[in-house]
Amino acid sequence: MRYLSALLLCALALPRAQAAGHSIEVLHWWTAGGEAKAANVLKQRWQAQGNRWVDAAIDGGGGGSAMLVLRSRTLAGHPPQAAHLKGVELHEWARLGFLRPVSDLARRGQWDMRLYPFVSSTLNHQGQMIAVPVGIHRINWLWLNQPIFDRHKLTPPRTWSELLLVASKLKAAGITPLAMGDDPWQLAILFESIALGEGGSDFYRRAFVNLEPKVLTGEQMQQVLRRFHSLRTFLPANHVGLKWNQATQMLIDGQAAMQLMGDWTKGELIAAGEIPGQRIRCLPAPGTAGRFSYNLDSLALFRQPQSRQDQAQQRLAELLMTPEFQRDFNRLKGSIPVLADMELNGFDRCGKDAAQALQRAERDGSLVPSVAEGMATPPRVQQALQEVLANYFADANGDAAETAQRLAQAIRAVQAEWQPGAEH
Ligand code: GAL
């Protein structure tokens, strides 16, 4: 009898459990080793609540391909329920009416009091919160293989001239100095770290946030460009098509000495069993100690025809903002939780350093939006900039003064369609 009533209870409970489950499709580009492990945290927690996860993962660092897929799917009328979407581009999607704001949720959850102020303002579109923040990445990092430095009795560079000197010595000793590929996105990351290190945050902001023509073409910019160009001889022989995570693997394997890349690199190190900050060290990119170029990862919710899907989106947003998710995801991803008052117990030294640098930079005005990551300008400006930089880098005879002019022209050409500052 007891057995029968237990069976009956199960039978009654089953349809309810199924009805309570939600299905969500998430488009993202977290496909490299560390990224995938972090994305898996979200997937597992979601499934543990009795829900279904539909993975729309599109390969490619920086998300260029993912954004193409997102655009074509949305135009065809079936956007995913959630997508990794960030920076200025978010505001364009919001303006076109595709996004479902999360302001109610934010109000109820007092996000304003829990988030870093710059996180709230980045996601604010005309008074509405337009995405759920997931993690904060620092772009201006230098990763280096300490055993290689020890073996060659080299000191980690703190300025770009020191880096050039170290790179020349390594090259002479038959070691690839810089692990990186030649795609415009990786090059833009290198370029922005040089700009921040050599020019400082004021110059950086005037050039890449305000897009001041005089600053874009000025002597300081030309100097940054020359510095950037001078690094072209230090890339690996197989740099054409080399992905950022393959470059990190070279660093881990001791096939290259340094990498300039955001701290998703750290996720890759962790996935490979390294303890970031030990054998592979993390240092601020030369000249950028105390400065912080940020990339804010966020998930945007796309409007759906069925209200049942709205509930799934809401549940997902709630999950993303729990401290447990924030801790576990960001620890694996290499980023910093978006909740400002979270303890960073269990985070590695690089993560703790990054959080401290972020707080300091936010206080003293040295926090800048990453131009390579689309935090500073709309995608069209970002692409124009990346193209000019990549062409210059590819050309052994590239001229800095001409490139600076091209930079300003390319930006002017697309700027007519967009007015800086009009969004916020
Ligand atoms: C960035 C993204 C990061 C990171 C990186 C490499 O654009 O915001 O989360 O994973 O690309 O794929």
Side-chain angles (χ1 to χ4, degrees), residues 188-347:
I189 285 182
L190 172 65
F191 175 77
E192 85 166 55
S193 280
I194 301 174
L196 188 59
E198 299 254 279
S201 23
D202 224 46
F203 160 77
Y204 182 101
R205 237 179 254 120
R206 291 181 62 191
F208 305 122
V209 181
N210 305 346
L211 304 173
E212 292 178 34
K214 267 203 182 120
V215 181
L216 287 166
T217 54
E219 185 43 44
Q220 177 70 77
M221 182 61 79
Q222 292 179 35
Q223 203 180 306
V224 170
L225 282 165
R226 275 192 291 272
R227 192 65 101 192
F228 171 62
H229 201 254
S230 65
L231 292 170
R232 63 192 301 284
T233 55
F234 298 123
L235 268 51
N238 64 340
H239 67 271
V240 176
L242 189 75
K243 294 180 183 172
W244 71 269
N245 51 318
Q246 295 172 326
T248 304
Q249 195 57 48
M250 289 184 73
L251 193 67
I252 296 173
D253 295 343
Q255 289 168 14
M258 301 178 274
Q259 184 177 17
L260 274 300
M261 186 44 67
D263 43 18
W264 41 88
T265 302
K266 196 154 68 82
E268 210 55 19
L269 298 179
I270 296 169
E274 296 282 339
I275 299 177
Q278 294 199 350
R279 215 177 62 85
I280 309 294
R281 288 181 63 193
C282 53
L283 298 166
T288 69
R291 297 174 189 154
F292 195 114
S293 163
Y294 70 83
N295 170 39
L296 174 64
D297 279 349
S298 48
L299 286 187
L301 307 177
F302 279 74
R303 287 191 194 281
Q304 302 289 321
Q306 292 156 12
S307 64
R308 188 168 155 66
Q309 299 195 15
D310 292 355
Q311 288 171 27
Q313 292 174 322
Q314 174 141 342
R315 293 287 99 77
L316 182 78
E318 285 165 0
L319 171 60
L320 293 170
M321 285 293 285
T322 58
E324 296 74 28
F325 166 76
Q326 283 286 323
R327 182 196 58 215
D328 295 348
F329 176 87
N330 285 300
R331 227 164 37 181
L332 291 173
K333 184 71 166 59
S335 36
I336 306 169
V338 294
L339 302 171
D341 58 0
M342 250 182 75
E343 294 288 332
L344 295 185
N345 298 333
F347 278 70

Side-chain angles (χ1 to χ4, degrees), residues 95-143:
R95 205 182 39 229
L96 294 170
F98 285 111
L99 303 187
R100 182 181 163 213
V102 286
S103 306
D104 287 349
L105 208 66
R107 226 169 286 122
R108 277 203 306 278
Q110 298 190 305
W111 290 11
D112 252 359
M113 295 170 63
R114 299 167 69 203
L115 299 172
Y116 286 97
F118 86 92
V119 171
S120 295
S121 58
T122 303
L123 300 181
N124 186 310
H125 180 82
Q126 297 170 351
Q128 298 267 31
M129 200 71 175
I130 49 169
V132 190
V134 179
I136 303 160
H137 278 294
R138 186 186 197 186
I139 304 304
N140 52 310
W141 278 117
L142 166 67
W143 308 91

Side-chain angles (χ1 to χ4, degrees), residues 29-30 35 60-63 84 86 137 185 244 264 295 297 333 373:
W29 62 92
W30 293 326
E35 294 176 325
H84 177 205
K86 60 197 176 97
H137 278 294
W185 169 73
W244 71 269
W264 41 88
N295 170 39
D297 279 349
K333 184 71 166 59
E373 288 295 333

